[in-house]
Each structure stands twice: as structure tokens, then as C-alpha cells.
Amino acid sequence: MDLAAKGHDVVAIDNYSRRNIAMQTSSEGLMSNPNLEQRAKIFKELSGHEITVKIGDLCNYKFLSEVVTEFKPDAIVHYAEQPSAPYSMKGYEEAHFTLKNNLEVTHNVIWAILEHAPDCHLVKLGTMGEYGTPNIDMEEGWLDIEHKGRKGRFLFPRQAGSLYHTTKVLDTDLLWFYVRTYNLRVTDLMQGPVYGLSTTESDLDDRLLPNFHYDDIFGTVVNRFLVQAVAGVPLTVYGKGGQIRGYLNLRDTLQCIDLACNNPAAKGELKIYNQLTETFTVNQLADKVQAAGKLLGIDVEVKSIPNPRKEPEEHYYNPIYTGLIDLGLEPNYMTEEVLGHMLKKILKYKSDIDNYKIFPRVSWSKNK
Ligand SMILES: NC(=O)c1ccc[n+]([C@@H]2O[C@H](COP(=O)([O-])OP(=O)(O)OC[C@H]3O[C@@H](n4cnc5c(N)ncnc54)[C@H](O)[C@@H]3O)[C@@H](O)[C@H]2O)c1
């Protein structure tokens, strides 16, 4: 919607994999979203902008080839992956699906560009989770190394903490192979966890809201904490709560996509940006939600629960994230006003909150 509103011709492709997994795992979002065709229709009625919708599986190369041949895109923004770390750790079937889906879609998108639109710029959503939590500063994708008197430039070392995040590492390796071998042009965006319930377009009508999950499978931590605050459930801090991550507002995700599309990589270039605007520990996030709740008269409790994940709970974390700012990103920070606005929106849907979805159901250790 954001790109269409900026005057681009947009085709949106989806196979409802996210919705299907949400249904299978009882992880539906707080607000029910109309389907993609209906959303495109509502958006057109309200804004005048048209989005072409194609429903199909990007693992089907023929389907993707036909869309790319017909549309001849200048850019493809590739979001289409199974993006839940807990889902990927649930068991064999879920792990296999995540690996197969994510790598196959990435490989198919690469080949559709090579065969049908060789000048097309691929903007790929990666994740900060690819790096893990190294004890050195996280550069933007690349690291200059001096070893036994010789120097070289390599992809920054990556050691992900879930199978999902590992598929993103493998995606980056695939992209780099095809960039250096076949002159593909790619921007890989190492994105941190996103939060938010408001964009210029979704503010037009609640039926255009982004999917908003608060369960352990699809909910990201800030969204989860805010719903827990409204539900009157103590915020579920995993373990010591010293885990640091880099966060960004949904509005900034959209800015970053726009900036990446308008500053394409050259042929044979893999650009990598760290896509975040600020870093917090989980404890700091809980404090922020508590403070925002207080302003609205909501009493928010915080409670540490056993950590279902295998991850350091106290660690060094210093990502570099100047690349997108240099391109013009103007961050929307996580202020009390922003969190308060989200809380007010969630309050409207309070009676739909299902407490069953709030507590972690998947453990990293259970399936070993
Ligand atoms: N949300 C975050 O906090 C976050 C953080 C870092 C990176 N990312 C990355 O950003 C991208 C989007 O994340 P999101 O949270 O919006 O996830 P999402 O699940 O809402 O979006 C991905 C979409 O891709 C679709 N999809 C998946 N496999 C497909 C296939 N084979 N064919 C067609 N469509 C398919 C899904 O149905 C879904 O609508 C993902 O690649 C994710 O890894 C997200």
C-alpha cells in the first residue's frame, strides 16, 4: 500500500501460508484481516490506488515465472518466508517446511530474475538474527579480516539462534553466490523485530491494519507485551531479560523498503544494511510498556518466566546501523506516545484477547 500510494505499480503475491499456519497453531491475530483481494479493493475505494493481487505459491516456479514475465518488475521485494522462530523449532514437519519453503522461494525468485527480468533489483528481507549475539561489533553485512599478514573482505560471521534464522543465513549465502556469479543486483536488509499498528495507509480503516499477533508463534515481543498489559497478565520476560535486540517501528520498515528500492544495488553488488533504529534489553522493553500503561491508568506487572529458547540472557550487543540513516531514514522512535497509541488501539479489541495464546508453547529443548 505504501509503495502504491507513492505512485509505483504494485503486484502483491501471497499464498496465505501465514494465515494457514496461524489457524493450524491457534495463533490468529487480534484483529481479523480481510483476505488480500478484499484488502486491495478496500484500499482502492479509500485511496484510489490499485494493487494487483496474485494468489499462488512462490515455490511453484512456473507460477512465479509467469507473473514476472507478464509484469517485468523493476524491483521485487521478497518478504515471503515462514518467519516464526518458535514454529521452526516445533518439530520435524515444521522445521522441514520452514527450510524448504524459505530456501525454495529465495531460489525461485533469484531464477525468475535471471531468466525473465535480469535488470530487476531484488530487495530481500533478512534478519538481525542472522548474526546471533557476537562478542564484537556487528558491521553492516561485511567484515574486513587480516589473517597471517593478508587481508580479505567476507560476509560477517553468522550464527543464528533458531532454524528459521538459519534459513535466512542460508538465503544470504545463496544471494551472494548468485550475485558474484551471475551479476544479480541485491539488497539484503538485516531487520530487527518490528512493532507497530499504524501506517499512513492502515490508518484509513481498521480493515487495512497489519496482521497483529500476540501469541508465542507469530507475536514479536513489543506487540506481545502490549497485549499482555491490556489483558492484565504479567509481561512474560524470558529468563533474566538481559537479551538485547535492535527494534524498529513498522513505519520505518516501510521507509527502509522505499529507500532500498530507490537506491538499487549495481549489477554484481550485494548491499547489506542493518535495519533497526534503537536497541533495548527485554527488561527495558517491559519498563517502557509499564510506563506507557501507567499513563493510561493500566497497572502493568512484570514477571520472569523460564526461557523457552536457548540464548544468552546477558551479552555484548553493538550493531552498526548508519547505512539506512545515511540514505535518509528518519526514525520513529519507541516513545511513550507511540506505545500509548498502540495500547489505545488494543483496548478497542480487549474482549477478543485469548489468554491461551499468551504463554510460550514451544521450547527449544523439547524436541532434541
Ligand atoms: N516481523 C518482523 O519483526 C521481522 C523481523 C525481521 C525480519 N522479518 C522478515 O520480514 C519478512 C516479512 O515478515 P512478516 O513478519 O511481515 O511476515 P508475514 O508472515 O506477515 O509475511 C510473509 C508473507 O509471505 C507469505 N508467504 C510465505 N511463503 C510463501 C510462499 N511460498 N508463496 C507465497 N507467499 C508466501 C505469507 O503468507 C505471508 O503473508 C519475512 O521474510 C521475515 O523473515 C520480519
Side-chain angles (χ1 to χ4, degrees), residues 158-269:
R158 286 149 308 142
Q159 38 195 3
S162 79
L163 180 74
Y164 150 66
H165 290 99
T166 301
T167 64
K168 306 295 260 193
V169 172
L170 299 171
D171 279 345
T172 300
D173 276 327
L174 268 185
L175 293 168
W176 178 216
F177 169 72
Y178 280 102
V179 164
R180 65 182 192 264
T181 309
Y182 293 117
N183 282 329
L184 210 65
R185 43 206 297 173
V186 178
T187 300
D188 201 352
L189 299 169
M190 300 300 155
Q191 182 171 246
V194 180
Y195 63 91
L197 252 179
S198 162
T199 70
T200 306
E201 288 69 39
S202 68
D203 285 353
L204 295 172
D205 189 307
D206 273 10
R207 292 171 298 170
L208 298 178
L209 281 172
N211 55 34
F212 186 77
H213 297 261
Y214 58 99
D215 61 275
D216 67 322
I217 303 276
F218 284 123
T220 48
V221 60
V222 183
N223 292 356
R224 271 164 69 66
F225 278 1
L226 290 165
V227 173
Q228 290 168 3
V230 170
V233 171
L235 308 191
T236 52
V237 169
Y238 292 174
K240 291 184 188 154
Q243 302 91 321
I244 309 171
R245 299 289 183 268
Y247 294 88
L248 80 164
N249 190 304
L250 182 58
R251 286 177 175 269
D252 295 343
T253 291
L254 300 182
Q255 279 192 67
C256 293
I257 298 293
D258 185 53
L259 289 167
C261 289
N262 284 314
N263 295 277
K267 275 186 161 271
E269 184 187 17

Side-chain angles (χ1 to χ4, degrees), residues 13-19 56-59 78-83 101 105 125-127 164 168 191-194 211 218 220:
I13 308 177
D14 206 301
N15 68 346
Y16 297 130
S17 140
R18 162 77 161 230
R19 289 171 192 246
D57 188 346
L58 292 164
C59 292
H78 167 17
Y79 295 97
E81 308 229 335
Q82 189 301 98
N101 186 68
V105 172
L125 271 292
T127 161
Y164 150 66
K168 306 295 260 193
Q191 182 171 246
V194 180
N211 55 34
F218 284 123
T220 48

Side-chain angles (χ1 to χ4, degrees), residues 202-346:
S202 68
D203 285 353
L204 295 172
D205 189 307
D206 273 10
R207 292 171 298 170
L208 298 178
L209 281 172
N211 55 34
F212 186 77
H213 297 261
Y214 58 99
D215 61 275
D216 67 322
I217 303 276
F218 284 123
T220 48
V221 60
V222 183
N223 292 356
R224 271 164 69 66
F225 278 1
L226 290 165
V227 173
Q228 290 168 3
V230 170
V233 171
L235 308 191
T236 52
V237 169
Y238 292 174
K240 291 184 188 154
Q243 302 91 321
I244 309 171
R245 299 289 183 268
Y247 294 88
L248 80 164
N249 190 304
L250 182 58
R251 286 177 175 269
D252 295 343
T253 291
L254 300 182
Q255 279 192 67
C256 293
I257 298 293
D258 185 53
L259 289 167
C261 289
N262 284 314
N263 295 277
K267 275 186 161 271
E269 184 187 17
L270 172 60
K271 283 190 182 188
I272 303 181
Y273 296 108
N274 291 346
Q275 187 167 310
L276 62 143
T277 59
E278 46 194 338
T279 61
F280 300 109
T281 65
V282 174
N283 287 328
Q284 284 170 329
L285 289 180
D287 290 347
K288 278 177 156 292
V289 171
Q290 204 167 35
K294 203 168 174 191
L295 288 181
L296 294 180
I298 304 173
D299 200 12
V300 180
E301 240 188 279
V302 180
K303 194 173 159 198
S304 164
I305 61 170
N307 193 344
R309 301 183 176 215
K310 188 166 179 187
E311 63 185 5
E313 291 174 4
E314 281 167 339
H315 55 86
Y316 182 78
Y317 200 79
N318 191 26
I320 310 304
Y321 48 100
T322 49
L324 287 159
I325 303 270
D326 289 346
L327 290 182
L329 170 65
E330 292 174 9
N332 290 277
Y333 292 112
M334 199 189 297
T335 58
E336 275 180 3
E337 195 191 343
V338 166
L339 294 178
H341 179 271
M342 288 180 74
L343 282 171
K344 280 186 205 154
K345 191 70 141 187
I346 296 164

Side-chain angles (χ1 to χ4, degrees), residues 44-118:
K44 180 155 189 222
E45 279 163 14
L46 295 173
S47 72
H49 298 293
E50 189 143 14
I51 295 176
T52 305
V53 171
K54 304 269 184 189
I55 301 302
D57 188 346
L58 292 164
C59 292
N60 177 344
Y61 185 62
K62 189 168 170 284
F63 162 71
L64 173 60
S65 291
E66 281 167 8
V67 179
V68 171
T69 304
E70 181 194 334
F71 191 66
K72 291 266 175 267
D74 299 320
I76 293 182
V77 184
H78 167 17
Y79 295 97
E81 308 229 335
Q82 189 301 98
S84 161
Y87 184 78
S88 76
M89 302 297 288
K90 206 163 179 271
Y92 173 79
E93 290 301 332
E94 294 83 356
H96 182 246
F97 173 78
T98 304
L99 191 66
K100 182 179 166 301
N101 186 68
N102 294 1
L103 287 170
E104 222 166 272
V105 172
T106 299
H107 197 243
N108 282 352
V109 172
I110 289 170
W111 271 94
I113 291 175
L114 290 176
E115 292 204 315
H116 308 298

